[in-house]
Amino acid sequence: QVQLVESGGGSVQAGGSLRLSCAAFGHSSSTACMGWFRQAPGKEREGAAAIDTHDTSTYYADSVKGRFTISQDNAKNTLYLQMNNLKPEDTAMYYCASDPRACRIIGLGQVYHYSYWGQGTQVTVSS
């Protein structure tokens, strides 16, 4: 079991930056893969980025590649998402998720592959 708590959302203008944080509380075996997902109003939840916490391999959706960077601080049990050059289409609720299986196994495409979820943090990008 693990509890995930996101923070760092907010409102920025297009071209700006934000850094999201996700603190993990619980057994580390539940966080072999950690990811960031987002859901815009009226749309399905989609994967943005993920990281295999044991070997730090990273995975990105094409829509965020080159602009977002996922990273981890093992000492703080915290996951980050650095978001640069934000666009209005990045506006969404952002969720942290984790699973005991490696990202290379579960991938980034299927929401239901991730067992644990945070409550989300809102990101709003204005043009």
Side-chain angles (χ1 to χ4, degrees), residues 5-123:
V5 181
E6 303 99 333
S7 61
S11 298
V12 295
Q13 291 191 327
S17 298
L18 281 174
R19 188 177 79 156
L20 306 182
S21 299
C22 172
F25 303 93
H27 207 287
S28 60
S29 64
S30 300
T31 57
C33 176
M34 296 193 74
W36 287 99
F37 288 75
R38 63 186 186 180
Q39 188 168 18
K43 294 189 176 181
E44 293 186 352
R45 194 170 299 188
E46 62 177 10
I51 185 168
D52 270 317
T53 58
H54 297 314
D55 65 9
T56 69
S57 296
T58 56
Y59 308 83
Y60 294 95
D62 288 342
S63 58
V64 307
K65 203 171 293 183
R67 299 187 299 122
F68 291 10
T69 302
I70 189 170
S71 63
Q72 60 185 26
D73 184 331
N74 289 335
K76 296 181 179 179
N77 292 325
T78 300
L79 179 75
Y80 301 101
L81 185 68
Q82 178 66 44
M83 305 185 293
N84 297 329
N85 191 21
L86 282 161
K87 304 175 180 181
E89 50 264 42
D90 294 318
T91 295
M93 184 71 79
Y94 282 71
Y95 298 91
C96 176
S98 74
D99 194 84
R101 297 165 292 179
C103 297
R104 66 182 182 277
I105 296 174
I106 63 175
L108 189 57
Q110 300 298 335
V111 171
Y112 61 82
H113 282 169
Y114 288 74
S115 300
Y116 304 100
W117 292 85
Q119 294 300 305
T121 185
Q122 178 67 37
V123 172

